[in-house]
């Protein structure tokens, strides 16, 4: 969630005091002394909120509020005044202000309102993003979660593969969501209006293979854990594919197919047919920075399915999630989200006495280690991937006692 606050107040000492209060709460403050100085920041693309004094020379808080409403009716604007004027407060709220507070306001009260406004803004922008994805018909953007480079690469690969006509092999570790990615490929393809038929390959007879292909005519057939397909059924599938049916085969596995082929446990002809277009799903261990985003999405889904309000995902919970190995990957994370929503989650591993700074430090360490792991211990490449200066990156490594050489392959 973005934590940017555009602070507008013509009184320099008050502006500095408010800035300090907000920055101590880990908010990014953009300070301005007037409406004119602030107006260029106020637009529909601004991802923060506005906190403005009411009484200012020239254009006052009401003018700023009206301007903000014209640019983006959903942009939260909190107004402050040094006068306890109830009619003014009523007028401000009727005009669309997010809240109206009297100065001097207690830091706790100010931060509570500001946090609520930031959360509201974050939800608004996320809903807009999701709506845009739905309207543009992008199943990959809608169904594959994560904001890391690896997640974006996965979405891009799925889109490219979906546009081709060849068979597809989807691989990934246990619980990574192979069947889900297979469905996204189908939904992103020209066959999306046709059926998406899923079958477990284990024990599938030649007759069942033929029936599955027939059911998937005009669409896609997904064979889950294709390595379990019996030898005779593999031959039947090859023969069916050779006859060029109006079906696209998407095969999934979390095993090393090439090794199985070399050991004679999987038919080479079928392997070379399906491995032309391969999509590999990265594990959560490779992209821990996606864990908070994915967990929040799973929490929202679980809460909606259960018909209850989603509980708050605190920094301590995030730190605890990122400290785990997650061998079960997305499936395990989804189960954890369901337990969390239902109030039966395991006790967090993180120290409950840790403050916000310590909890965020745990998250930062996880991101640093993940970047080094992906870069093979090359600190410069890891710093570039995290978009931080090399000196800053090295300073952080030294602070946490993390050594790049420990991650070299």
């Amino acid at each position: 969630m973005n934590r940017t606050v555009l602070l507008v107040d013509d009184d320099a000492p008050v502006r500095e005091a408010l800035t300090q209060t907000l920055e101590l709460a880990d908010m990014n403050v953009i300070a301005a002394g007037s409406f004119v100085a602030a107006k260029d920041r106020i637009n529909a693309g601004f991802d923060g909120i506005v906190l403005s004094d009411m009484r200012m020379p020239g254009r006052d808080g009401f003018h700023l509020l009206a301007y903000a409403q014209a640019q983006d009716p959903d942009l939260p604007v909190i107004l402050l005044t040094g006068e306890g004027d109830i009619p003014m407060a009523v007028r401000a709220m009727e005009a669309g202000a997010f809240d109206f507070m009297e100065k001097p306001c207690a830091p706790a009260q100010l931060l509570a309102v500001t946090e609520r406004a930031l959360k509201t803004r974050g939800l608004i922008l996320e809903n807009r993003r999701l709506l845009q994805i739905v309207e543009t018909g992008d199943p990959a953007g809608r169904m594959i979660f994560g904001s890391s480079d690896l997640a974006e690469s996965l979405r891009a690969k799925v889109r490219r593969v979906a546009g081709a006509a060849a068979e597809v092999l989807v691989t990934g570790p246990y619980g990574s969501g192979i069947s889900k990615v297979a469905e996204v490929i189908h939904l992103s393809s020209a066959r999306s209006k046709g059926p998406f038929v899923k079958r477990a390959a284990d024990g599938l007879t030649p007759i069942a293979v033929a029936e599955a292909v027939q059911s998937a005519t005009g669409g896609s057939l997904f064979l889950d854990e294709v390595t379990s397909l019996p030898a005779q059924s593999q031959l039947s599938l090859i023969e069916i594919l050779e006859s060029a049916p109006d079906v696209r085969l998407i095969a999934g596995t979390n095993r090393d197919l090439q090794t199985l082929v070399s050991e004679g446990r999987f038919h080479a002809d079928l392997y070379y047919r399906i491995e032309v277009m391969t999509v590999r799903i990265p594990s959560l261990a490779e992209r821990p920075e996606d864990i908070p985003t994915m967990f929040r999405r799973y929490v929202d889904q679980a809460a909606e399915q259960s018909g209850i309000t989603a509980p708050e995902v605190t920094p301590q919970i995030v730190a605890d999630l990122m400290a785990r190995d997650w061998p079960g990957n997305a499936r395990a994370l989804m189960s954890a989200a369901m337990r969390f929503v239902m109030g039966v989650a395991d006790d967090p591993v993180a120290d409950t006495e840790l403050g916000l700074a310590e909890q965020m430090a745990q998250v930062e360490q996880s991101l640093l280690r993940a970047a080094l792991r992906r870069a093979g211990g090359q600190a410069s490449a890891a710093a570039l991937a995290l978009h931080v200066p090399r000196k800053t990156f090295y300073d952080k490594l030294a602070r946490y006692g993390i050594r790049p050489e420990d991650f070299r392959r």
Side-chain angles (χ1 to χ4, degrees), residues 3-5 22-29 111 114-115 118:
R3 296 178 64 78
T4 300
V5 179
L22 296 171
E23 288 181 340
L24 285 173
D26 291 327
M27 296 181 192
N28 175 36
V29 180
L111 294 177
T114 306
E115 291 281 6
L118 286 168

Side-chain angles (χ1 to χ4, degrees), residues 181-197:
V181 168
E183 185 174 7
V184 173
I185 291 172
H186 168 74
L187 293 174
S188 302
S189 73
R191 295 178 173 272
S192 61
K193 301 299 183 183
F196 177 69
V197 177

Side-chain angles (χ1 to χ4, degrees), residues 311-349:
E312 181 184 4
V313 181
T314 66
Q316 179 182 332
I317 292 170
V318 170
D320 170 47
L321 293 170
M322 295 185 69
R324 302 185 191 182
D325 293 333
W326 295 108
N329 290 287
R331 187 177 301 168
L333 189 64
M334 190 181 301
S335 296
M338 176 63 77
R339 292 194 299 272
F340 175 69
V341 169
M342 301 307 295
V344 293
D346 298 331
D347 292 335
V349 175

Side-chain angles (χ1 to χ4, degrees), residues 31-200:
S34 67
F35 165 76
V36 173
K39 66 185 293 288
D40 290 340
R41 298 273 187 176
I42 302 174
N43 53 61
F46 180 56
D47 55 5
I49 65 168
V50 179
L51 177 64
S52 175
D53 187 25
M54 179 62 76
R55 301 288 190 186
M56 294 184 292
R59 304 294 191 178
D60 64 7
F62 279 119
H63 182 86
L64 182 148
L65 175 60
Y67 181 83
Q69 292 278 301
Q71 304 303 310
D72 184 349
D74 297 321
L75 175 60
V77 177
I78 303 168
L79 294 175
L80 303 172
T81 181
E83 305 170 3
D85 189 332
I86 294 178
M88 182 186 290
V90 172
R91 179 186 165 198
M93 300 303 288
E94 289 178 345
F98 184 83
D99 212 325
F100 186 90
M101 304 177 69
E102 184 179 354
K103 295 192 296 185
C105 49
Q109 182 188 11
L110 174 66
L111 294 177
V113 173
T114 306
E115 291 281 6
R116 186 160 50 85
L118 286 168
K119 185 175 182 179
T120 299
R121 184 59 171 169
L123 291 173
I124 288 169
L125 294 178
E126 176 67 5
N127 287 338
R128 287 181 183 175
R129 187 185 71 82
L130 293 175
L131 180 60
Q132 183 179 25
I133 289 173
V134 171
E135 290 177 344
T136 56
D138 181 15
R142 186 171 69 250
M143 299 173 66
I144 299 177
F145 304 151
S147 56
S148 68
D149 291 342
L150 285 176
E152 186 51 49
S153 295
L154 175 60
R155 285 189 286 266
K157 183 68 177 288
V158 164
R159 294 179 186 115
R160 289 197 301 272
V161 167
E167 277 73 42
V168 183
L169 175 63
V170 183
T171 67
Y174 174 81
S176 58
I178 290 174
S179 63
K180 179 180 179 181
V181 168
E183 185 174 7
V184 173
I185 291 172
H186 168 74
L187 293 174
S188 302
S189 73
R191 295 178 173 272
S192 61
K193 301 299 183 183
F196 177 69
V197 177
K198 295 193 292 185
R199 293 288 187 273

Side-chain angles (χ1 to χ4, degrees), residues 6 20 46 65 89 96 111 171 187 221 234 249 255 307 334 349 377 384 387 409:
L6 175 59
Q20 184 179 39
F46 180 56
L65 175 60
L111 294 177
T171 67
L187 293 174
L221 169 62
Q234 291 182 34
L249 174 64
R255 303 178 67 186
M334 190 181 301
V349 175
L384 183 63
H387 306 292
R409 305 184 180 95

Side-chain angles (χ1 to χ4, degrees), residues 372 375 377-386 388-390 393-394 397 404 408:
L372 283 169
Q378 300 301 313
S380 296
L384 183 63
L386 291 178
V388 298
R390 277 195 303 174
F393 187 78
Y394 278 109
L397 295 183
R408 288 177 188 151

